[in-house]
Amino acid sequence: MRKTNEVEQLIYLFSKLPGLGQRSSRRIVLHLLQEKEVRLKNLMDGLALAASKIQICEICRNIDSHNICHICTTSDRNKSIIAIVETVAELWAIERSGNFNGKYHVLGGALSASMKKSPDSLRLPQLLERCMNHGVTELIIATNATLEGQTTAYFITEYFRNYNLKISRLANGIPIGGELDYLDEGTLSLAIALRQPFD
Amino acid sequence: MRKTNEVEQLIYLFSKLPGLGQRSSRRIVLHLLQEKEVRLKNLMDGLALAASKIQICEICRNIDSHNICHICTTSDRNKSIIAIVETVAELWAIERSGNFNGKYHVLGGALSASMKKSPDSLRLPQLLERCMNHGVTELIIATNATLEGQTTAYFITEYFRNYNLKISRLANGIPIGGELDYLDEGTLSLAIALRQPFD
């Protein structure tokens, strides 16, 4: 069938977004075109505003409307502790947990041979400079519990080994609400090995 | 946590699109912001082009870059047969099937008390005018096999009862690849009642 080029192109663009395929993109495009003046216009305005305002923080690579992000700027947070995350998605996830009041370093992804992500791109020298000159005492390595994330974690640990820094990483174990029967063996075996005493 | 207003707003806009929620919208927005100059810009351009070009066909309410759509314009298609569909999504679905060479009438949705879709919005007088003055002999009612779709189908059938038109609707039965054990009882019972002789 022949859809118009503009519609085809828009469906194609949406289908390249993470989590979307042909069918979901078609639905979205039709939804947008159905009330073009409102829906399509609102989305265009939102995108234009983000395009013009959003910048990447010079210090931690968070995204923000200022070139130093609000987390790096504020004095309300503990600047002696830095959580190292793969991307802004993980930064947001930790912020949602509400249990961290330090600062961040966003790596921009995990090390991976296939994706051609090199150690240079992690900006570890800049992080080291922050640690040395701005009173940082602890690094929490909060990379994902994937092969790439763990590889990256070891690499970072090695990098900072000879400096006077406390280096920790997120606990592994059974997620809250997790049922043992449905859990993978690796996690369960780790949870047994790392069992904690009742207080 | 406090994301910037622009990012929050963009996530909100995406989360209102069909099939997307908070989490998938966050992923999409981060993906777009990651390579702002390319990804975000391409999507904005695509939306802007669609916004400026796409129109709703005056005759059938298909969407197209002309105010009479390519299906209504072409002489390659059989203009004596019209398929009545709920929305452009169903028009596209029928076009993908490759087994229909007539024209269309897009209702703009099915009748529904709760969604406040009224019979007036179906534009049946305009369709009747098309039938009377442009040599239409058959209407295929291709509404969805849902309660609303079937109600709409009966309503349309009643509307056109006293005119000299052949009115048909899509066959019900077992979908290709369907396994009887997994099929709902309604479809199976219908498939038995409507069983067809081997040729």
Side-chain angles (χ1 to χ4, degrees), chain A residues 1-4 7 13 18 26 30-31 33 36 40 42 47 51 54 63-65 70 89 92 95-96, chain B residues 1-4 7 13 18 26 30-31 33 36 40 42 47 51 54 63 65 70 89 92 95-96:
Chain A
M1 93 142 278
R2 199 193 66 120
K3 298 189 192 82
T4 74
V7 174
L13 286 169
R26 279 200 303 266
L30 278 177
H31 172 87
L33 290 175
K36 223 174 64 167
L40 209 139
N42 281 350
L47 288 166
I54 300 302
I63 55 173
D64 201 284
S65 46
H70 66 279
W92 287 352
E95 287 295 290
R96 282 198 301 279
Chain B
M1 98 140 273
R2 201 192 65 120
K3 299 190 192 79
T4 73
V7 173
L13 286 169
R26 279 201 302 266
L30 278 176
H31 173 86
L33 290 174
K36 223 174 64 168
L40 209 137
N42 280 350
L47 287 166
I54 299 302
I63 55 175
S65 46
H70 66 279
W92 287 353
E95 287 295 290
R96 281 198 302 279

Side-chain angles (χ1 to χ4, degrees), chain B residues 3-114:
Chain B
K3 299 190 192 79
T4 73
N5 289 336
E6 296 83 16
V7 173
E8 284 282 16
Q9 171 67 5
L10 197 53
I11 293 174
Y12 171 80
L13 286 169
F14 272 102
S15 74
K16 294 293 148 199
L17 298 179
L20 296 183
Q22 272 292 317
R23 184 179 297 262
S24 44
S25 302
R26 279 201 302 266
R27 274 185 73 195
I28 287 173
V29 168
L30 278 176
H31 173 86
L32 288 172
L33 290 174
Q34 220 164 15
E35 283 185 35
K36 223 174 64 168
E37 306 309 325
V38 184
R39 294 173 184 166
L40 209 137
K41 190 174 172 308
N42 280 350
L43 185 58
M44 281 170 61
D45 291 349
L47 287 166
L49 198 65
S52 69
K53 293 271 187 157
I54 299 302
Q55 306 180 49
I56 290 170
C57 174
E58 285 176 12
I59 296 173
C60 74
R61 283 209 285 192
N62 185 12
I63 55 175
D64 201 284
S65 46
H66 299 89
N67 65 349
I68 309 285
C69 79
H70 66 279
I71 295 178
C72 286
T73 315
T74 183
S75 56
D76 293 347
R77 300 179 71 118
N78 182 351
K79 69 190 175 70
S80 71
I81 182 165
I82 292 181
I84 303 175
V85 292
E86 293 183 21
T87 72
V88 176
E90 285 79 32
L91 185 156
W92 287 353
I94 292 177
E95 287 295 290
R96 281 198 302 279
S97 83
N99 200 16
F100 178 71
N101 195 35
K103 310 264 177 171
Y104 288 95
H105 176 82
V106 180
L107 296 168
L111 289 179
S112 134
S114 58

